[in-house]
Amino acid sequence: MQINGIDHVELYVGDARQAAFYFGTAVGFRLRGQGGPETGLADQRSLLLGQADIRMLLTSGLTAEHPASAYVQRHGDGIAVVALEVDDAAGAYAELVARGATGLTPPRTFTGADAEVVLAEVGGFGDVVHRLVERRGDRRVFLPGAIEELPGVDGDELLAEIDHLAVCVPPGQLDDTVSHYEKVFGFAQIFEEHIEVAGQAMNSKVVQSPSERVTLVLLEPDTGRRPGQIEDFLRWHAGAGVQHLGLRTDDIITAVGALAGRGVRFAGTPAAYYDGLEARVGTVDAPLDRLRELSILVDSDHGGQLLQIFTESMHVRRTLFLELIERRGARTFGSGNIKALYEAKERELAAAGATPAVAAGGVQA
């Protein structure tokens, strides 16, 4: 079994057309296909969006019984399917089930004039499913006979590919989740750390496929400290799920400037964060005034630097959000920014005469 990468992600949403308007108008995705009862997708409406190597399927249930309807009722809008590209979907399905995966949908073949696609599904984490996708023929054809392809529209490819998915799991489930991906999917743990800031703490472990094309950043709250953002997600999402989708870009300054101009709201960064930035991470090959203006963060590891920024959640539950990341050799995920952001907020509030208690609350908010 060879997992070659992420074929696509599928979001279950309350209104696929409304979600597509946001991702299209604000984030720059373009409509690539559509499907519904008229194409054999019973009781659902699906819209396929694309940008460079990123494919995103938005699905709404048309009846209360459809799985998307139940998902949205429980979790709100969110990533329900992480589809994995494999060489042999039927073989991968059998092997995964034999290793202990929960088999959900046996292999099924979709055949068209120029392409054939085999799909199968197994359980992942929480209510998130892994769809196994085998493509033969024209790989640009998404799902022959089910998703009607639409003419492509040229545009700026500001985002290049899915870099990683960050997943929140309930307390006590981190090690079991890591073990599941190691034993069942053949992933390897490549990184771990314990993060403490402002009385909050979390444990993080990163697992990655042998191809290095599928990366999951797993986050678990430390219940020995005061509740924070991970507990908020687990409560609002009603269990484990994808907290954010990391999207790699080759030019984060251009991408953030463009998306902000289209209405995407990014998490702000205290101005004090940039005081001594290069003392923390080394010389940055980017104009610091522009990074400050756009609130772009910088971190470094033994491999180099990374530039990153997070959007505000676009959902009423304040759950799923996006991360834009430009890698300049760094292979980690910017954890050094957590402490730096908190210390910058402390300095900023102290200068304004705020108390430490207010500062802690400000970070969590």
Side-chain angles (χ1 to χ4, degrees):
M1 180 183 65
Q2 175 68 20
I3 297 175
N4 300 319
I6 296 178
D7 185 88
H8 65 278
V9 293
E10 183 172 11
L11 280 71
Y12 284 168
V13 297
D15 188 327
R17 288 175 175 165
Q18 184 179 59
F21 180 80
Y22 171 81
F23 283 110
T25 303
V27 191
F29 283 87
R30 288 173 291 283
L31 185 63
R32 296 300 193 200
Q34 60 185 357
E38 67 279 1
T39 63
L41 297 178
D43 301 328
Q44 72 181 65
R45 175 66 56 197
S46 292
L47 299 176
L48 175 65
L49 307 183
Q51 182 170 177
D53 289 333
I54 307 166
R55 284 189 285 201
M56 179 184 296
L57 190 65
L58 306 174
T59 295
S60 294
L62 301 180
T63 64
E65 294 74 28
H66 191 276
S69 302
Y71 182 98
V72 170
Q73 183 177 18
R74 176 174 172 78
H75 302 293
D77 291 4
I79 293 177
V81 179
V82 178
L84 307 175
E85 178 190 337
V86 297
D87 294 330
D88 178 359
Y93 178 83
E95 185 171 348
L96 288 169
V97 171
R99 292 180 182 182
T102 301
L104 300 175
T105 307
R108 178 184 176 190
T109 302
F110 295 79
T111 302
D114 301 315
E116 187 173 80
V117 178
V118 184
L119 302 182
E121 293 179 343
V122 299
F125 50 86
D127 288 337
V128 174
V129 169
H130 286 307
R131 179 174 295 145
L132 311 172
V133 183
E134 174 190 351
R135 297 191 177 279
R136 306 168 185 165
D138 188 347
R139 299 177 63 83
R140 295 172 298 177
V141 178
F142 184 74
L143 197 60
I147 297 293
E148 177 189 3
E149 304 288 326
L150 299 175
V153 178
D154 293 334
D156 294 334
E157 304 287 5
L158 297 172
L159 307 175
E161 63 180 356
I162 295 175
D163 183 87
H164 65 276
L165 296 99
V167 177
C168 295
V169 300
Q173 294 189 15
L174 179 61
D175 290 340
D176 287 344
T177 305
V178 169
S179 178
H180 179 73
Y181 277 92
E182 290 176 331
K183 295 178 180 178
V184 175
F185 291 89
F187 284 29
Q189 181 182 316
I190 62 170
F191 187 73
E192 71 173 298
E193 65 181 333
H194 180 75
I195 303 169
E196 297 185 28
V197 61
Q200 307 171 26
M202 72 184 79
N203 298 309
S204 174
K205 295 187 177 184
V206 181
V207 295
Q208 190 175 72
S209 65
S211 67
E212 300 183 357
R213 302 291 295 169
V214 183
T215 303
L216 302 178
V217 179
L218 304 170
L219 306 168
E220 171 195 67
D222 181 345
T223 56
R225 301 304 182 93
R226 71 179 180 87
Q229 296 176 17
I230 307 302
E231 285 92 345
D232 287 344
F233 175 90
L234 292 169
R235 183 172 70 255
W236 295 331
H237 184 76
V242 177
Q243 181 210 45
H244 72 261
L245 180 65
L247 302 175
R248 189 182 63 78
T249 175
D250 295 321
D251 184 350
I252 195 169
I253 290 177
T254 298
V256 172
L259 269 58
R262 297 171 185 168
V264 175
R265 298 182 61 178
F266 290 95
T269 303
Y273 166 86
Y274 298 92
D275 298 339
L277 173 63
E278 292 192 323
R280 294 194 304 272
V281 304
T283 302
V284 180
D285 185 19
L288 294 182
D289 57 343
R290 189 65 172 148
L291 298 179
R292 186 193 305 265
E293 177 188 353
L294 296 173
S295 292
I296 295 172
L297 309 172
V298 185
D299 200 10
S300 63
D301 62 21
H302 60 278
Q305 293 180 343
L306 65 83
L307 284 69
Q308 65 185 156
I309 192 170
F310 301 92
T311 71
E312 294 183 2
S313 177
M314 66 288 293
H315 302 299
V316 67
R317 296 196 189 193
R318 295 174 59 190
T319 48
L320 179 67
F321 55 93
L322 305 177
E323 174 187 358
L324 272 60
I325 183 168
E326 179 184 340
R327 294 193 178 275
R328 299 179 175 183
R331 295 176 59 85
T332 50
F333 301 91
S335 59
N337 279 321
I338 297 175
K339 182 179 180 181
L341 276 171
Y342 174 72
E343 291 175 343
K345 192 69 175 180
E346 286 278 277
R347 291 194 298 271
E348 186 176 86
L349 293 171
T355 65
V358 172
V363 170
Q364 186 175 358

